[in-house]
Amino acid sequence: MESSSERTAVRPVSTVPPQSPPPPGPDDDGEPAPPARDEPRRWSRVSVAALTATAVVLVCALVTHLGMIFLSVAPPNALSVEHGDAVDAYVQPEFGQDWKLFAPNPMQRNEAVGARVNTLAADGRPHASEWINLTDRDIETIRGNPAPSHADQNMLRRAWDAYIATHSVTDDRPKGVRGTMTGDYLKRVVLQRIGRTLNGERIVSLQVGGRFTMVDPPAWSSEQPSDTTDYRLLPWWKVTDQDYRSL
Amino acid sequence: MTTPTATATAAPPATPTATRPAERLARLLAAITSVRAPYQAAVFRIGLSGVALAFLLREWPNRHVLYGVRSPLSFDLAQVLIREERTFTVLAWGNGGLWFETVYAATIAAALAVLLGWRTRGTSVLLMAGVLSVINRNTLVGDGGDNVVRIMVIYLVFTRCAQVWSLDARRARRRPKLPGLDPVGPFLWVAALAVLVPLSAHPTRGWALAFWTLWAVQGLWYAANRWFPRHEARAVLDAAASMLHNCAMLVIAAQVCLIYATAGWYKIQGSRWQEGSALYYALHLDYFAPWPALSGFLAGSTLTVLALSYLTVMVQVAFPFTLANRKVKNVLLFAMIAEHLGIAVVLGIPFLSLAMVVCDAVFLPTAFLIALGARCGRLTARLRPPALAGRAAPRADRVSS
């Protein structure tokens, strides 16, 4: 049996024409009763009308759906600017999509998110900690892992991005409800990683910061490597027990 | 019907008698009411549920931190996010650990069921609800892979994806004459009420209506099979379902084209893609370098970086247009699948890459898929214990002969 199946494996395609219809029977547990394939089925007039109407409705839905999706991913244009709200209302949230992966340009800098904390010793003396590089921990976990977890690859990175996108650069004022939410979220993401105590002392306040390092241009490029590293420091946040709820 | 999905079953050949309008209408109806691309739909079903299953199992140890009770996006914060984004997730209805575990486990079970093609009509809906619930509980940890899967599971519900390579198909094959004697389907249909009725008590932004509609359609189908299996209305229902499937397959194909078109055309505008150094930068991102030595080796070769950067853009931009030519399309398809598999390893984003491979697979030629299916059939037959293999072997052979 082994050898014969090996032989048929060489050219199984030729024996089955691609036009062969699917095996009879619907995918449900219904009765197959397929119309004869070589001779088209004779439908009654009512059925023809019903099927034609169904086809028309489906084609309209198809065109509408694809048109909306197209407008949502196309650059702002005459149609989408005028009817942006309608397009959004249709597409979001179920079909919302963003395929500008690595486009128009890939990311050219590495962002490292870190944190430092103020702790309170048992005798009441305050201590300030050094910066803790949280992104380094993520990268450590990702190294050598064929399937990195979202918890290591996305959580901190995207929490930081979400915060930056929803807060003003100058005074870290949250933009709307979403801003407040992303602020609380980033704080909890960081606190989950650091824990309640540092060196046995209770954490009372926290500062999160980002460090941006440009990737050096390739050797052949005439561009000068950037010799500066950018930082963004967020304000100090008070840390209470409430922040650790169910972390 | 000019997409590759039409390659699966060709329209009945036009004969000289097809000139009469009535004849032509009949042939047109026959063409659009037969299930197109059943093998592509099946490979899409298996691939998509496989990716979802692998993802859910991979995140099993981290599920509480990502989506559950230990998430930094606490239940209250999640409520804000869900309201803002207007998303659907059943995980917004309760903060209990048991509720979360139930939903997560049910989603895994649904993914497995869809993978095997077991009661696909119902389990695909369950998979959709589960995947949306998990992903939408915390969209702030997602990436492009989640985005693809989230959209495609919705489309999957509208396809007849279990016509081949499924337990449903096997059941239909084994007792084609006794459709009324299948008690499991109707039983599950009634059991679904236990989920649907409580669901309706929650605000779902129209999702409850969608679920009830799907439930009603399934009920109509069972009723038709039970009470008027020979009536033409039953055949009309069947034909309408096939038309819906054909439309869904078209939408899936068009959606994949939109993904590539967007990704490609926006890249053309980027200076790094123009100078061919984009890949160099992508390979230097810490978060996407699980194998730094490999990334460094690739990035160190200027010619490789240039060639792969240019090829990526060319292939992505060109792909939708190559659909007009089968041979060119297949060559590009091979290149894209290979590139995605490479990206999966090098950039450490296997779920995103595999989701894209699944999307690519929708365009694979039917002959290739049939050959692949036959090979898999033989492989499983060989792996089975002899007692079972004896029964399975003829089936595998039948596919290829």
Side-chain angles (χ1 to χ4, degrees):
Chain A
M1 188 196 89
E2 306 279 293
S3 59
S4 72
S5 57
E6 274 307 321
R7 245 183 304 116
T8 50
V10 179
R11 45 172 190 81
V13 182
S14 60
T15 51
V16 179
Q19 296 92 335
S20 66
D27 45 350
D28 307 281
D29 4 279
E31 128 139 356
R37 296 287 165 163
D38 35 10
E39 197 56 35
R41 185 188 176 109
R42 306 280 150 188
W43 297 96
S44 70
R45 276 200 182 165
V46 181
S47 297
V48 168
L51 286 174
T52 311
T54 310
V56 168
V57 170
L58 283 175
V59 168
C60 288
L62 178 89
V63 169
T64 310
H65 181 76
L66 291 179
M68 289 290 191
I69 303 280
F70 176 82
L71 286 177
S72 77
V73 296
N77 56 59
L79 261 181
S80 65
V81 166
E82 191 171 344
H83 303 289
D85 290 343
V87 173
D88 257 10
Y90 179 87
V91 171
Q92 298 291 350
E94 281 80 22
F95 302 105
Q97 44 195 289
D98 178 14
W99 309 119
K100 290 181 223 165
L101 312 165
F102 299 109
N105 276 324
M107 277 256 291
Q108 291 156 60
R109 65 180 194 185
N110 281 303
E111 301 186 355
V113 179
R116 59 179 175 179
V117 295
N118 284 322
T119 55
L120 217 51
D123 57 6
R125 274 186 309 167
H127 283 124
S129 81
E130 298 289 310
W131 281 99
I132 306 162
N133 190 333
L134 297 169
T135 296
D136 256 6
R137 295 187 189 176
D138 278 351
I139 289 162
E140 200 70 23
T141 321
I142 289 170
R143 291 265 156 94
N145 190 337
S149 166
H150 277 15
D152 303 316
Q153 203 170 36
N154 296 346
M155 187 177 254
L156 178 66
R157 180 174 65 87
R158 290 211 50 215
W160 172 263
D161 288 346
Y163 177 94
I164 296 300
T166 52
H167 286 76
S168 66
V169 183
T170 44
D171 55 357
D172 281 286
R173 202 194 305 276
K175 297 173 188 166
V177 191
R178 198 182 169 95
T180 315
M181 186 266 298
T182 55
D184 289 345
Y185 177 58
L186 177 64
K187 186 180 183 183
R188 281 170 57 86
V189 167
V190 170
L191 286 178
Q192 186 170 55
R193 278 144 206 257
I194 296 179
R196 271 171 197 269
T197 58
L198 190 72
N199 304 325
E201 300 179 359
R202 194 164 62 87
I203 293 169
V204 290
S205 60
L206 161 82
Q207 186 181 35
V208 180
R211 186 190 67 200
F212 313 105
T213 321
M214 298 301 289
V215 174
D216 286 345
W220 58 264
S221 172
S222 55
E223 285 174 48
Q224 286 301 311
S226 162
D227 56 355
T228 56
T229 303
D230 285 331
Y231 296 90
R232 170 143 181 203
L233 294 186
L234 307 189
W236 280 93
W237 290 327
K238 241 180 87 177
V239 174
T240 63
D241 271 353
Q242 194 65 17
D243 295 320
Y244 287 99
R245 218 166 49 145
S246 73
L247 271 185
Chain B
M1 290 291 159
T2 51
T3 75
T5 53
T7 56
T9 55
T15 56
T17 53
T19 45
R20 291 203 335 268
E23 191 76 13
R24 239 185 287 167
L25 180 68
R27 293 213 177 265
L28 177 70
L29 274 180
I32 62 172
T33 57
S34 60
V35 173
R36 298 305 182 112
Y39 290 94
Q40 285 80 356
V43 82
F44 184 69
R45 178 199 90 226
I46 293 167
L48 192 65
S49 55
V51 169
L53 182 64
F55 173 76
L56 291 167
L57 291 178
R58 194 270 164 266
E59 299 297 9
W60 179 264
N62 301 319
R63 66 192 189 285
H64 294 132
V65 167
L66 289 171
Y67 307 109
V69 286
R70 286 193 58 223
S71 174
L73 195 75
S74 64
F75 189 67
D76 297 337
L77 291 176
Q79 299 280 7
V80 177
L81 183 71
I82 290 159
R83 238 189 338 265
E84 280 277 302
E85 299 189 332
R86 299 177 297 135
T87 43
F88 168 79
T89 167
V90 300
L91 290 174
W93 301 346
N95 194 17
L98 185 65
W99 175 235
F100 172 75
E101 300 290 4
T102 308
V103 172
Y104 201 90
T107 311
I108 290 179
L112 192 63
V114 173
L115 182 83
L116 298 173
W118 183 76
R119 307 283 166 184
T120 323
R121 242 349 5 98
T123 50
S124 63
V125 179
L126 197 61
L127 177 67
M128 172 183 73
V131 165
L132 290 180
S133 294
V134 170
I135 290 180
N136 289 340
R137 169 63 173 77
N138 186 0
T139 51
L140 292 172
V141 293
D143 55 28
D146 304 70
N147 203 340
V148 179
V149 172
R150 174 169 62 75
I151 293 171
M152 292 302 182
V153 283
I154 299 179
Y155 294 152
L156 184 71
V157 168
F158 298 101
T159 63
R160 306 188 100 172
C161 53
Q163 297 264 297
V164 293
W165 298 339
S166 70
L167 295 178
D168 287 348
R170 190 178 69 167
R171 193 173 52 245
R173 218 172 30 235
R174 280 189 179 170
R175 35 177 202 185
K177 297 276 178 269
L178 302 167
L181 291 183
D182 170 44
V184 182
F187 173 77
L188 289 174
W189 179 73
V190 174
L193 281 173
V195 180
L196 280 169
V197 171
L199 177 140
S200 307
H202 294 276
T204 60
R205 297 186 47 252
W207 276 94
L209 180 68
F211 289 129
W212 277 112
T213 308
L214 291 169
W215 183 80
V217 169
Q218 182 68 70
L220 184 65
W221 183 246
Y222 285 138
N225 282 325
R226 177 72 182 81
W227 286 299
F228 48 95
R230 311 256 169 252
H231 196 275
E232 199 182 52
R234 155 76 174 65
V236 168
L237 284 178
D238 194 26
S242 296
M243 284 198 283
L244 182 63
H245 159 91
N246 294 339
C247 279
M249 289 306 288
L250 263 179
V251 168
I252 291 168
Q255 173 70 70
V256 178
C257 287
L258 275 177
I259 293 176
Y260 285 123
T262 328
W265 288 62
Y266 282 108
K267 280 193 183 87
I268 287 184
Q269 304 164 28
S271 56
R272 298 302 180 196
W273 292 100
Q274 289 170 8
E275 65 174 28
S277 67
L279 196 67
Y280 167 89
Y281 288 98
L283 287 168
H284 277 92
L285 297 177
D286 292 336
Y287 266 111
F288 301 98
W291 319 103
L294 179 62
S295 299
F297 172 73
L298 279 174
S301 165
T302 308
L303 205 63
T304 310
V305 167
L306 176 68
L308 285 178
S309 297
Y310 274 11
L311 269 177
T312 301
V313 180
M314 285 183 208
V315 167
Q316 288 188 340
V317 170
F319 180 70
F321 302 103
T322 63
L323 296 181
N325 183 304
R326 279 179 57 102
K327 272 186 191 152
V328 184
K329 182 259 295 176
N330 288 340
V331 171
L332 247 65
L333 208 51
F334 176 76
M336 288 202 308
I337 290 177
E339 180 168 16
H340 280 133
L341 293 177
I343 287 173
V345 176
V346 177
L347 295 186
I349 41 176
F351 299 110
L352 167 56
S353 305
L354 289 180
M356 289 317 300
V357 170
V358 171
C359 292
D360 297 338
V362 172
F363 296 94
L364 286 172
T366 304
F368 173 81
L369 288 175
I370 290 174
L372 187 73
R375 184 160 286 233
C376 290
R378 273 193 301 276
L379 198 69
T380 48
R382 200 172 302 169
L383 292 176
R384 270 181 215 187
L388 285 169
R391 247 170 50 203
R395 233 183 75 219
D397 286 349
R398 202 174 63 192
V399 179
S400 61
S401 57

